[in-house]
Amino acid sequence: MSDSVVVYRDVYTEDRFKQAYGSEDSASGSLRLRERFAGRCRCSKRACLHLLRRRAPIFDWLPRYRLKKWMLGDTIGGLTVGILHIPQGMAFALLTSVAPIFGLYTSFFPVVLYMFFGTGRHVSTGTFAVVSLMTGSVVEQLVPTPLEMNSSSPEAADFEAQRIGVASAVALLSGIIMLCMFGLQLGFLSTYLSEPIVKAFTSAAAFHVTVSQLQSMLGLRLPRHTGTFALFKTLASVMENLSHTNTAELLISLFCLAVLVPVKEVNMRYKQHLRTPIPVEILTVIIATCVAYASSLDSTYNIEIVGHIPAGFPRPRMPNLSTFPDIAGDTVAITFVGYAVSVSLAMIYADKHGYSIQPNQELLAHGISNTVSSFFTCFPSSATLATTNILESAGGYTQLSGLFTSLVVLIVLLLIGPLFYYLPKAVLACINVTSLRQMFLQFQDLPDLWRISKIDFMVWVVTWLSVVVLNVDLGLAIGVVFSMMTVICRTQRAGCSVLGRASNTEIYRPVEKHNKCYEIPGVKILTYNGPIYYGNRSFFREEMSQLLGLTPEKIRSWEKARKALEKREREATVSTVERGIANTSFSSENYFFQSEKSKSEVEAVLIDCSSVTFVDVAGARLFTQICSECQKVGVHVYLANCNESVLKILTSSGLMTYMNPQHIFVTVHDAVMYIQQQKEKSPENTTTVWV
């Protein structure tokens, strides 16, 4: 036997509830706002320390660092990621169309800077395939690759300087954009890249990366295609030149893939049992370099090698600022992608390990990283999928792991870098392709996505096709626009429902989905499951008119009947005055409306506004118009569950001209009790709700 709950209380309108429980007036609210603003502007030692800890989080977490508990994990994780950064940095430099040494620089400076300013404890920054590919497209557009050039000639050195000047300019402008976004507190913009968009985008970009590396894996010397349909142009170019494939580089690529793919699969499947992943990339690089040096593959078989890698730190150099007008549009897309991926990764691991990140502080961290790094010949950086996953799997705890990562890269820059002179570029291309394994595996999420939400599935498919068929940045823009259009369409077709009451409760649910909930006689309770604004006002009007039967014909007939009634009442009044006889045939307008309402059985309309999140001016005017039409046909309108902003807009738009202010209630049940007691014409001023 179920227990029943009985609640005794007064019926509350919105005005009566505010009087009983109070709300702060605007004066005290503005006074508190001034006090809060003055408190933030007050300068003190404590405030300065607080600001320093917020803007440079290392001063917050480093004093509380648990040396015995975290040091081992940070050391192992940092060293492991540092070893992986070496081949990946050089490989992703090829995607950016710059020399491999600049990939090593980009794997060092951003890591150090993020350690000071970032809030993601498990985030590994550096070179990222998608960002590198997008930057490479900009570099190829402004400084296209000549078909014939001697790698040791002065023209080649000037050509490389032009290219890294453009790539560094992209990094500088990207950092400036992020810093401006931080100043405007625009960290929330990353939310416009939903999970289906990010996954579809990265998966499709993986195809672009793979196709762009085919010519290096096959030993073909082909110009790089950019712009729309670049993927298909590159494929066509590769197919046309298959006969010119360098057999030695093809064999090197096949051997590298045969080693990298199985070992990466072992690392993935047995990551719980491996203290650190097998560093197959760096081992492959070392072995391939030794074999190429011992066999003189570059001179004997004409394979393309990395070439000279200078030792030491790069000298500070100003990026090519004159390219800003040409790179501005592409840089905005690169910035948005890099930040969105970085914040998404940071949030995933923050949720997993029970801490929080600050999106706006992440803007500051990556903005400083890109801005400062650009003066040391670095291209744009971001958080990376593969190294972040490896850092967390290897036991990293805090940002201090970045110190050990940067130490590994520093040793390579100062001492070991020149030893990679004979490294075949085909090996780096294979590392690029195999590093995208996680992105390709995102296709496995599609069946679950279809089962959970078909709209999100369509967003995934449209984004993926747009990126693959058109281009990376254009495809991403199409995916974002399409995703926003689905949101607009869902708010437009939110739907209006008729509510019924569950017996002996104050619970009201849609009658079409709950066959044991019944409508209140004479009362039509409606709820609209979305905002009311200019984009859906016609749909809202259509739904309401259909449920209430407010057709133009009905309204005109009621207006005509009202005018006829008023005319006959005036004639009756004149007759009474002249003859002194009271004519009661049409003595009351109420009699007419009561007889008509008995036919339609709707005496009151109660609108539940609990799901109406906001109303704009167009929606408020339409709301007022519907109330006016209901008044014309003799139906009273009541509101319930209105939030403060919706109620303020409705009242400011003149709704109270057609509606009694005492007809706005706190809950649906309060309104129903009031309507029923008015119907019974109860003389009591204070009524009680029975549940």
Side-chain angles (χ1 to χ4, degrees), residues 222-240:
L222 303 174
R224 182 168 171 176
H225 296 280
T226 59
T228 56
F229 308 109
L231 185 143
F232 301 102
K233 294 176 182 177
T234 304
L235 277 177
S237 180
V238 170
M239 296 299 293
E240 290 175 0

Side-chain angles (χ1 to χ4, degrees), residues 558 589-601:
W558 277 83
E589 182 181 355
N590 292 332
Y591 176 79
F592 170 79
F593 286 110
Q594 287 173 2
S595 61
E596 290 295 323
K597 280 184 283 188
S598 64
K599 297 177 183 178
S600 63
E601 297 183 352

Side-chain angles (χ1 to χ4, degrees), residues 65-74 275 395 397:
Y65 190 83
R66 300 180 183 179
L67 193 64
K68 294 182 179 180
K69 184 177 181 180
W70 294 341
M71 178 57 75
L72 181 61
D74 283 341
R275 182 62 177 135
Y397 285 100

Side-chain angles (χ1 to χ4, degrees), residues 104-229:
L104 294 179
Y105 296 154
T106 310
S107 299
F108 174 77
F109 290 100
V111 175
V112 176
L113 292 167
Y114 186 84
M115 180 179 65
F116 281 89
F117 299 100
T119 59
R121 301 178 190 174
H122 299 84
V123 171
S124 173
T125 58
T127 57
F128 181 46
V130 177
V131 174
S132 298
L133 178 69
M134 297 176 72
T135 307
S137 298
V138 180
V139 173
E140 289 288 345
Q141 289 175 9
L142 298 182
V143 190
T145 307
L147 294 178
E148 297 294 336
M149 178 180 291
N150 187 352
S151 60
S152 59
S153 64
E155 292 81 5
D158 182 64
F159 173 73
E160 288 295 338
Q162 292 180 31
R163 287 201 151 189
I164 192 58
V166 173
S168 299
V170 174
L172 175 60
L173 185 56
S174 176
I176 293 173
I177 292 173
M178 287 188 181
L179 292 176
C180 293
M181 291 173 65
F182 165 75
L184 297 173
Q185 299 291 288
L186 298 180
F188 67 90
L189 290 179
S190 63
T191 58
Y192 287 102
L193 285 183
S194 63
E195 183 178 346
I197 291 179
V198 173
K199 289 189 174 182
F201 170 75
T202 53
S203 178
F207 279 85
H208 281 273
V209 173
T210 301
V211 171
S212 69
Q213 296 304 290
L214 287 178
Q215 54 185 348
S216 296
M217 296 170 67
L218 298 175
L220 300 175
R221 312 296 186 260
L222 303 174
R224 182 168 171 176
H225 296 280
T226 59
T228 56
F229 308 109

Side-chain angles (χ1 to χ4, degrees), residues 134 201 329-330 333-334 467 471-478:
M134 297 176 72
F201 170 75
D330 295 302
I334 292 171
V467 173
N471 198 11
V472 176
D473 48 358
L474 182 58
L476 176 63
I478 292 175

Side-chain angles (χ1 to χ4, degrees), residues 282-391:
I282 190 64
L283 292 177
T284 304
V285 166
I286 294 173
I287 294 173
T289 303
C290 294
V291 171
Y293 171 74
S295 306
S296 300
L297 294 179
D298 58 323
S299 57
T300 306
Y301 297 101
N302 194 30
I303 68 169
E304 194 173 6
I305 59 175
V306 168
H308 176 63
I309 298 179
F313 261 64
R315 293 182 178 179
R317 183 191 305 176
M318 180 66 69
N320 190 353
L321 302 182
S322 62
T323 60
F324 272 15
D326 300 319
I327 66 176
D330 295 302
T331 304
V332 171
I334 292 171
T335 303
F336 202 49
V337 170
Y339 172 65
V341 172
S342 301
V343 171
S344 299
L345 278 175
M347 286 183 174
I348 289 172
Y349 288 98
D351 292 341
K352 183 177 180 180
H353 292 275
Y355 62 91
S356 61
I357 67 160
Q358 302 172 20
N360 285 306
Q361 180 64 26
E362 289 294 295
L363 272 175
L364 178 64
H366 290 288
I368 292 176
S369 297
N370 281 289
T371 302
V372 176
S373 300
S374 67
F375 294 100
F376 294 93
T377 60
C378 295
F379 50 85
S381 63
S382 71
T384 63
L385 294 172
T387 54
T388 299
N389 184 36
I390 290 174
L391 176 62

